[in-house]
Amino acid sequence: MLTRRDFIRAGAGLGIGAVTIPLLDACSGLAGGGGGSSSGGTTIEAAWWGGSDRAKRTQEVIKLFEKKNAKDKITASFSDIDPYFQKLNTEAAGGGLPDIIQLGGGYVPQYMHKGQLLDLTKYTDNGTIDVGDYDKGQLAQGQVDGKLYAVSNGGNMPSIIYNKTMIKKAGMPLPPADLTWESFATYVRQLREKLPKSAWPIDDASDGGAGDAFGVWVRQRRPESYTKDGKIAFTLADVQQWFAYWAGLRKANLITPGDVVAAEIQNTAADAAPIVQGKAAFTFAWSNFLGQYQILTKDELGMMRCPSGGKQAGDYVQASQFFSISSKSKAPDVAAKFIQFFEHDPAALKILGVERGVPASAKARGILKPSLKPYDALQVQFLTDNIAKCRAKTQLDPSNSAAVGEALQRASQSIALSHVSVAAAATKFMGDAEKALES
């Protein structure tokens, strides 16, 4: 279940306006995707959300693809997350989606059920898109009703990123790898006593944080966050216990205060994150954010699994985002060819790095590994070490799960900012969540 800051950070969204850039003159005149012919070749449109770093990497790969496929041209369209989906929804209503669309997991079934995505099984069967050595969990997350509609751009895991330098300066040992929720609270309580007053041990994640911490909590207690028919699988007691845990940390001054979190929600840029600004020693985040945070601070960052608890593992490897092809594309073969190039070409892989997550292809991971920065290599190693310890998701989140995340965020803020009781906030959230899934 993704909150807004969760989803944006999962996709490395940075604050930039909507941009559509024809990379070559031959691309001019194409609007709204759907493919077309240009100067005897084929032009398609690829759209994604994300920041300037992602845009630069993706455009370099597009140029490389065009260099190796002289008759194929690609128009790039990218923006921050909110304008991206606003534009996408408008284009979908008009029947003019871009040929290649970047989507998050919850959006795949939503767009598929509206008939807007192409079944990619034809291209995996004929070898145009090779998913033979893909992580099965990531591959399954792109499937709806047994058919493949989305190809993972990279995987990540819910994790905790921590500031090694800050902890060492405080004279504390680094956290052990096997903390429970209770022992994690004990550890940060000790850290609180040694940190300056301007910093807090943990960036408040009672709203789910930036790495589906609430989803991990729920899956430690329930098979999944949602039932197979798209209903919530957690109980009022689960939610009350979650909010009570964070309320206890808040009362002990162990988490960032409500006004800091509110500012963070308004400004989701990575450089505004408390862990980057030295305001928090720990933050719950998707694993692919290690590198994005590390390049913004001189302090050394580390990574660990979320605390254990409940009856089973709650963390999982998720496809951080996908590429899908519009069902209305007039050049789906070119779009499929580009997806294959994006996912497997050695030069493209080195350009892309792990900015979108760790590649789902085992061969791609092997190609990429020698060229990675130390913090990116740590991210790959983190997934490698823990993929067998976590528990794969067995179903996609329902299409309105983002609204559930938003309801969780509102309830969390009502406790932190308006002093609403845990019981009242939990009850309000349950009602809002059920209502969101009915719409």
Side-chain angles (χ1 to χ4, degrees):
M1 141 188 350
L2 305 182
T3 65
R4 181 178 182 278
R5 68 168 168 157
D6 192 11
F7 186 69
I8 290 172
R9 287 193 173 152
L14 301 177
I16 57 175
V19 181
T20 300
I21 298 179
L23 293 177
L24 297 173
D25 291 343
C27 301
S28 62
L30 180 67
S37 297
S38 177
S39 302
T42 301
T43 299
I44 63 171
E45 182 180 10
W48 68 91
W49 77 83
S52 56
D53 179 49
R54 174 173 298 174
K56 180 181 178 183
R57 293 171 189 263
T58 308
Q59 287 175 294
E60 284 185 33
V61 171
I62 289 174
K63 289 179 179 177
L64 189 62
F65 174 80
E66 292 177 333
K67 186 176 180 180
K68 294 186 177 182
N69 299 272
K71 293 184 177 180
D72 301 325
K73 309 299 178 188
I74 299 178
T75 293
S77 175
F78 58 92
S79 70
D80 198 359
I81 186 75
D82 284 344
Y84 175 79
F85 279 102
Q86 289 167 4
K87 184 171 184 282
L88 212 59
N89 288 334
T90 300
E91 291 172 333
L97 280 174
D99 301 273
I100 298 174
I101 319 155
Q102 182 179 290
L103 293 174
Y107 286 91
V108 174
Q110 178 179 332
Y111 277 71
M112 174 268 170
H113 287 303
K114 293 180 179 177
Q116 293 160 341
L117 302 184
L118 188 68
D119 177 7
L120 304 180
T121 306
K122 165 187 171 183
Y123 294 110
T124 56
D125 285 348
N126 67 20
T128 302
I129 299 176
D130 180 10
V131 294
D133 66 343
Y134 266 41
D135 169 59
K136 292 182 179 177
Q138 291 187 58
L139 188 62
Q141 291 169 41
Q143 295 174 328
V144 182
D145 298 336
K147 296 180 179 179
L148 186 70
Y149 289 92
V151 176
S152 171
N153 292 155
N156 54 19
M157 280 181 64
S159 71
I160 297 178
I161 295 172
Y162 60 89
N163 188 319
K164 284 186 175 182
T165 304
M166 183 184 291
I167 294 170
K168 289 179 179 177
K169 282 184 178 177
M172 284 281 290
L174 295 178
D178 56 349
L179 289 174
T180 64
W181 289 98
E182 289 76 19
S183 59
F184 181 51
T186 299
Y187 177 90
V188 296
R189 189 170 287 108
Q190 296 169 350
L191 180 61
R192 168 70 283 175
E193 296 174 359
K194 300 180 179 181
L195 285 178
K197 292 183 179 179
S198 59
W200 291 267
I202 314 173
D203 186 12
D204 183 2
S206 58
D207 66 350
D212 198 20
F214 178 67
V216 172
W217 172 279
V218 169
R219 295 183 83 248
Q220 288 172 342
R221 290 156 177 79
R222 310 290 166 192
E224 290 291 346
S225 297
Y226 300 96
T227 63
K228 290 183 178 179
D229 59 351
K231 309 294 184 183
I232 56 175
F234 46 87
T235 67
L236 177 61
D238 294 331
V239 180
Q240 287 178 333
Q241 291 167 12
W242 170 256
F243 282 150
Y245 177 84
W246 288 97
L249 298 179
R250 184 178 297 109
K251 185 177 181 180
N253 195 30
L254 303 180
I255 61 176
T256 48
D259 59 336
V260 173
V261 177
E264 188 183 0
I265 291 171
Q266 291 300 314
N267 182 3
T268 55
D271 58 3
I275 194 165
V276 171
Q277 295 190 337
K279 294 181 179 178
F282 291 84
T283 189
F284 286 77
W286 294 106
S287 56
N288 63 316
F289 262 77
L290 178 67
Q292 296 173 49
Y293 287 148
Q294 184 61 81
I295 61 176
L296 295 171
T297 176
K298 293 181 180 178
D299 287 355
E300 182 184 5
L301 303 182
M303 177 184 286
M304 58 188 283
R305 287 181 77 191
C306 292
S308 60
K311 301 179 292 186
Q312 58 208 354
D315 50 1
Y316 55 93
V317 176
Q318 79 148 6
S320 64
Q321 57 248 282
F322 303 88
F323 271 160
S324 294
I325 298 176
S326 167
S327 60
K328 302 293 177 57
S329 173
K330 296 176 182 175
D333 292 356
V334 176
K337 185 167 63 174
F338 176 72
I339 291 175
Q340 169 70 10
F341 183 85
F342 194 89
E343 300 284 333
H344 292 282
D345 182 84
L349 289 169
K350 291 176 182 176
I351 292 171
L352 294 167
V354 293
E355 192 272 337
R356 281 177 166 89
V358 177
S361 161
K363 185 177 179 181
R365 290 196 294 272
I367 292 171
L368 197 54
K369 193 171 182 178
S371 63
L372 291 175
K373 300 283 188 183
Y375 45 83
D376 286 334
L378 177 58
Q379 182 192 155
V380 174
Q381 193 63 49
F382 178 78
L383 257 73
T384 302
D385 291 344
N386 293 306
I387 194 168
K389 300 176 184 175
C390 64
R391 187 165 59 89
K393 293 188 78 167
T394 58
Q395 61 194 57
L396 288 172
D397 291 345
S399 57
N400 287 346
S401 61
V404 178
E406 292 167 1
L408 179 67
Q409 188 169 286
R410 291 194 300 273
S412 167
Q413 287 193 282
S414 73
I415 298 172
L417 295 174
S418 303
H419 307 295
V420 173
S421 71
V422 164
T427 300
K428 179 71 164 58
F429 166 62
M430 290 293 288
D432 288 349
E434 291 170 350
K435 186 176 180 180
L437 294 177
E438 291 172 356
S439 61

